[in-house]
Amino acid sequence: MCLRVLNNLNREYPITGRNLNWEKPVEVTIFDFPSGLNKKGLSDIKARELCLDPKVVFKWCSKYASVVSMIGQEKKGFVPIDGMNSAGLVVNVLFNTSSTYGKPKPFLKNSNLSVLRCSQYILDMFKSVFDVCSYFKTSNLQLIKEDLTSVFFEEESKDKYLKSRVSLSISDYTGQSAVIEIIKGNLKLHISDEHQVVINGHNYDDQLNMLRCWKYLWGHSIPEVKIPMYTVSGGISPTHSFERAAFLLKTSTAALTPERILAQTRFIMQSGSIPLLNNSMVNEKEFCTRLTFLSNHIAGIYYLFNPMNVMPIWLTFSRDVKTCSKLKLINVSNRLEGVNNHAELQGDVQFNLCQTIDPFESRT
């Protein structure tokens, strides 16, 4: 039930927002990576499970620094879900029920990459949406299915939301956008600066068809409806969030200053968020917005808003970073002991980071 919005109304200063909505508290850590890191596309455990020789596991050396939000824990592994690199490229990972994967390639050298590490590879290696899409149109990489179960404290959980059904939303400093879906191991690319709003759960063609209907009702299509209806749904489902965010974006005027663009994007993200303890769907799951991310492509500032805390935090790219560092944003011990949202964190958290190792490090 996540939402991504690219506010590129002012093409000189795009801002990408993303809401992380989840049914339960989830551990989140932010990592600050320098460039020049050697990484691998599968954990040793996953490679052995698939009987893959280390030579066929994809490896790379990062060209760009990145700030990345990951869910997971030290002992169980981390999964990148959102981030921005030093070139101003942003990747948001969303749940997608239509994603399907091919089989590993056990004889093709340097080709097998976990779908859960693909976003990090993109942030490490590419400058723009054009570069990403050009590469993946001809790449022989095999994206390997890997479930999220291991990164949660409830190992017995069999919930469908822990499956590795994901799609990638990509945006850059020019205001360009792409949505990458994975169908039977092949990548389906949707490339357009008009692909501004993305939700989880539905394939992107369905989302575009839904938007066409709403744009007609709002009087934003040709032929124009004679009496536009300036209205949207008010529920908390992904489609409702999509409709509200698209409505606000399509009916807004481009802001002229960076501060106003940032504020405009934050308002739109709030319109698509889910309040704490809202139970309009009458079930035991406590879906709500756990974090909101705002990526300032031009200034290189990565903002995080935890609705449980009063103050936002942010990180600014530093060219002097030489080592990996991290900061825990949300700690989850168990349901009985509760959740630590680290309300003490405020403003620029650069000096709160502590040195760490790269969880995707390759030593070969």
Side-chain angles (χ1 to χ4, degrees), residues 9 194 196-197 208 210-232 243-254:
L9 299 177
E194 295 186 359
Q196 299 156 301
V197 183
L208 293 176
M210 179 170 56
L211 181 59
R212 291 187 188 98
C213 176
W214 279 104
K215 287 175 69 176
Y216 173 76
L217 294 176
W218 299 333
H220 288 186
S221 62
I222 298 175
E224 294 185 25
V225 63
K226 293 183 179 180
I227 305 177
M229 297 174 56
Y230 298 110
T231 182
V232 288
E243 292 156 5
R244 283 198 302 279
F247 173 75
L248 293 177
L249 195 63
K250 297 298 182 183
T251 57
S252 292
T253 302

Side-chain angles (χ1 to χ4, degrees), residues 128-148:
S128 68
V129 168
F130 175 81
D131 292 340
V132 175
C133 295
S134 297
Y135 173 82
F136 279 106
K137 283 179 180 178
T138 58
S139 170
N140 64 355
L141 278 180
Q142 180 63 42
L143 293 183
I144 304 299
K145 175 183 177 181
E146 186 172 9
D147 291 341
L148 301 175

Side-chain angles (χ1 to χ4, degrees), residues 225-361:
V225 63
K226 293 183 179 180
I227 305 177
M229 297 174 56
Y230 298 110
T231 182
V232 288
S233 304
I236 66 167
S237 73
T239 54
H240 292 154
S241 294
F242 180 94
E243 292 156 5
R244 283 198 302 279
F247 173 75
L248 293 177
L249 195 63
K250 297 298 182 183
T251 57
S252 292
T253 302
L256 299 180
T257 65
E259 295 79 11
R260 291 175 67 85
I261 297 170
L262 187 68
Q264 183 183 52
T265 311
R266 187 180 179 187
F267 278 121
I268 294 173
M269 300 314 299
Q270 288 176 327
S271 77
S273 64
I274 302 175
L276 180 68
L277 298 179
N278 181 281
N279 197 21
S280 58
M281 300 175 72
V282 192
N283 59 37
E284 297 179 358
K285 301 183 186 300
E286 297 181 3
F287 272 107
C288 73
T289 300
R290 306 291 174 180
L291 284 171
T292 295
F293 310 87
L294 292 182
S295 297
N296 186 325
H297 298 262
I298 303 300
I301 307 176
Y302 187 65
Y303 298 88
L304 299 102
F305 302 84
N306 185 331
M308 298 297 293
N309 300 337
V310 175
M311 297 293 291
I313 66 172
W314 60 84
L315 271 175
T316 303
F317 277 101
S318 172
R319 300 294 179 182
D320 298 327
V321 172
K322 302 298 181 183
T323 60
C324 301
S325 57
K326 69 176 181 179
L327 177 63
K328 180 70 74 172
L329 302 182
I330 303 177
N331 277 95
V332 181
S333 50
N334 57 55
R335 287 190 181 276
L336 296 177
E337 297 179 21
V339 180
N340 184 352
N341 285 285
H342 293 282
E344 74 279 2
L345 297 174
Q346 299 181 11
D348 191 337
V349 294
Q350 187 68 49
F351 295 105
N352 297 93
L353 298 170
C354 60
Q355 190 169 334
T356 187
I357 62 172
D358 180 358
F360 302 153
E361 179 183 11

Side-chain angles (χ1 to χ4, degrees), residues 64-212:
Y64 299 100
S66 61
V67 174
V68 184
S69 295
M70 299 198 190
I71 58 175
Q73 301 173 337
E74 289 285 354
K75 295 181 180 180
K76 300 180 181 180
F78 290 99
V79 176
I81 57 168
D82 195 276
M84 178 171 63
N85 72 14
S86 52
L89 182 72
V90 172
V91 180
N92 317 107
V93 182
L94 305 181
F95 181 72
N96 188 333
T97 54
S98 63
S99 298
T100 52
Y101 303 93
K103 295 181 180 180
K105 297 179 177 179
F107 306 110
L108 188 58
K109 186 178 180 180
N110 200 40
S111 65
N112 294 276
L113 172 65
S114 168
V115 66
L116 301 183
R117 299 190 180 192
C118 184
S119 59
Q120 185 64 58
Y121 172 62
I122 291 173
L123 290 171
D124 286 344
M125 301 303 293
F126 300 101
K127 181 179 180 179
S128 68
V129 168
F130 175 81
D131 292 340
V132 175
C133 295
S134 297
Y135 173 82
F136 279 106
K137 283 179 180 178
T138 58
S139 170
N140 64 355
L141 278 180
Q142 180 63 42
L143 293 183
I144 304 299
K145 175 183 177 181
E146 186 172 9
D147 291 341
L148 301 175
T149 307
S150 61
V151 304
F152 289 88
F153 61 88
E154 293 183 305
E155 295 185 3
E156 72 278 6
S157 175
K158 302 297 183 181
D159 197 287
K160 66 179 180 179
Y161 293 98
L162 304 185
K163 301 300 182 182
S164 60
R165 297 177 177 178
V166 299
S167 60
L168 305 176
S169 297
I170 306 171
S171 49
D172 65 24
Y173 58 95
T174 70
Q176 186 57 270
S177 174
V179 178
I180 300 179
E181 296 179 304
I182 307 158
I183 309 297
K184 295 183 179 179
N186 298 314
L187 301 184
K188 183 176 182 179
L189 306 177
H190 304 264
I191 309 167
S192 173
D193 57 7
E194 295 186 359
H195 295 343
Q196 299 156 301
V197 183
V198 187
I199 54 172
N200 65 276
H202 303 268
N203 67 62
Y204 199 59
D205 284 332
D206 288 344
Q207 295 180 45
L208 293 176
N209 288 333
M210 179 170 56
L211 181 59
R212 291 187 188 98

